[in-house]
Amino acid sequence: MSTIETIILALIQGLTEFLPISSSAHLILPSQLLGWSDQGLAFDVAVHVGTLLAVMIYFRQEVANMFVAWTDSIVHKNRSFDAKLAWWIIFATIPAGLFGLFGKDFIEQHLRSAAIIALTTIVFGLLLGLVDIKGKQNKNIEQLGFKGAMMVGLAQAVALIPGTSRSGITMTMGMMLGLTRDAAARFSFLLSIPAIAMAGTYLTVKLVFAAHAVDWSAIALGASVAFVSAYTCIHYFLILLDKVGMMPFVVYRLLLGAFLVWFII
């Protein structure tokens, strides 16, 4: 990959990782439209590191509170909300981990086509729009409960299908369960931390044992661009969410899906 390709793809990944518009739908476009080669394992590691750092630093206070409370819940049986939230996130991550472990090969072989991505981009975009209009949106994260957290976790597992959008489907499920837009987004972002960490760890192990040489400067560049774009995206998305709602992203998904269908045909 050239330097410009690294910058553009890392920028796309950082921006689309946390917006409900599907990063996979966007990353397929440069390769299909411009003939760019696959970004490769090193790039995947870089953007995972960058986006993970972005969400952890942005929510550093929440992460620190959860870690302390979670540790205290083991040692002193602490039952504060932060401890419960930490346990919810841990258990809600399990479905995606299992789905990724046992379904990865099938997904790679059968569900990464442009047609599948176009379909899931449109279908889950319509679902997001329906929930945004019809959902009650009157609960905060504390009212989600363990069962609700697990349902969001199951939705996150479905997001392994390209085009679905991890953030999109988890926010959709959160709002279906009555969460406000802001609460659904914040829980989605917190839930992304172990998911991105697991994927990044898996890819890093593969990279370490890869036979080819690693371009560490490209990894550093990709991670830096992904970090800045992801952090900026999270910040402004949360500011604008209650003002603009989800409909701009729904419309964007429908247009993107239609473009992908047109491109395939």
Side-chain angles (χ1 to χ4, degrees):
M1 289 175 61
S2 66
T3 299
I4 190 63
E5 289 177 8
T6 299
I7 293 173
I8 292 175
L9 291 176
L11 184 64
I12 291 173
Q13 179 68 37
L15 290 174
T16 58
E17 177 67 35
F18 297 109
L19 292 178
I21 55 176
S22 175
S23 58
S24 56
H26 288 78
L27 290 174
I28 193 177
L29 294 177
S31 61
Q32 296 290 329
L33 297 179
L34 303 176
W36 291 2
S37 59
D38 182 79
Q39 55 261 36
L41 187 58
F43 175 82
D44 287 339
V45 170
V47 295
H48 276 81
V49 170
T51 53
L52 179 61
L53 287 175
V55 69
M56 288 190 69
I57 291 175
Y58 191 88
F59 291 101
R60 56 191 178 278
Q61 190 60 59
E62 290 90 339
V63 171
N65 291 343
M66 284 192 294
F67 178 76
V68 172
W70 176 76
T71 303
D72 198 36
S73 72
I74 296 175
V75 177
H76 299 114
K77 307 299 181 183
N78 167 37
R79 296 187 178 182
S80 69
F81 172 68
D82 284 328
K84 290 180 181 179
L85 181 58
W87 282 112
W88 292 355
I89 289 174
I90 290 171
F91 280 104
T93 302
I94 293 174
L98 292 176
F99 192 22
L101 180 63
F102 295 107
K104 180 180 178 299
D105 291 340
F106 179 83
I107 293 171
E108 290 289 336
Q109 294 173 16
H110 303 287
L111 300 179
R112 290 193 63 85
S113 68
I116 293 293
I117 292 175
L119 177 64
T120 51
T121 297
I122 293 172
V123 170
F124 288 107
L126 289 172
L127 183 59
L128 175 62
L130 179 64
V131 172
D132 190 49
I133 295 172
K134 298 292 186 180
K136 293 182 178 180
Q137 300 178 29
N138 57 4
K139 294 181 180 179
N140 56 36
I141 296 179
E142 293 186 26
Q143 297 171 288
L144 179 62
F146 177 76
K147 290 183 180 179
M150 289 303 298
M151 291 181 68
V152 179
L154 289 170
Q156 180 173 248
V158 176
L160 291 172
I161 301 173
T164 303
S165 172
R166 192 210 62 80
S167 60
I169 196 170
T170 52
M171 291 180 201
T172 298
M173 179 58 74
M175 290 190 294
M176 285 180 65
L177 296 170
L179 291 181
T180 64
R181 295 186 186 111
D182 183 76
R186 289 179 181 275
F187 187 75
S188 170
F189 293 155
L190 292 172
L191 186 61
S192 74
I193 293 174
I196 297 174
M198 285 194 306
T201 300
Y202 170 75
L203 293 170
T204 300
V205 171
K206 286 185 65 176
L207 182 63
V208 168
F209 288 98
H212 53 78
V214 177
D215 186 351
W216 294 106
S217 62
I219 289 182
L221 176 62
S224 299
V225 174
F227 168 79
V228 172
S229 58
Y231 189 95
T232 303
C233 173
I234 294 171
H235 179 69
Y236 286 105
F237 178 74
L238 290 174
I239 290 175
L240 295 172
L241 185 56
D242 283 332
K243 296 180 181 179
V244 303
M246 293 291 185
M247 292 312 297
F249 304 103
V250 173
V251 172
Y252 180 83
R253 286 184 68 126
L254 296 180
L255 292 174
L256 176 61
F259 175 79
L260 289 172
V261 170
W262 172 83
F263 179 76
I264 295 167
I265 296 174

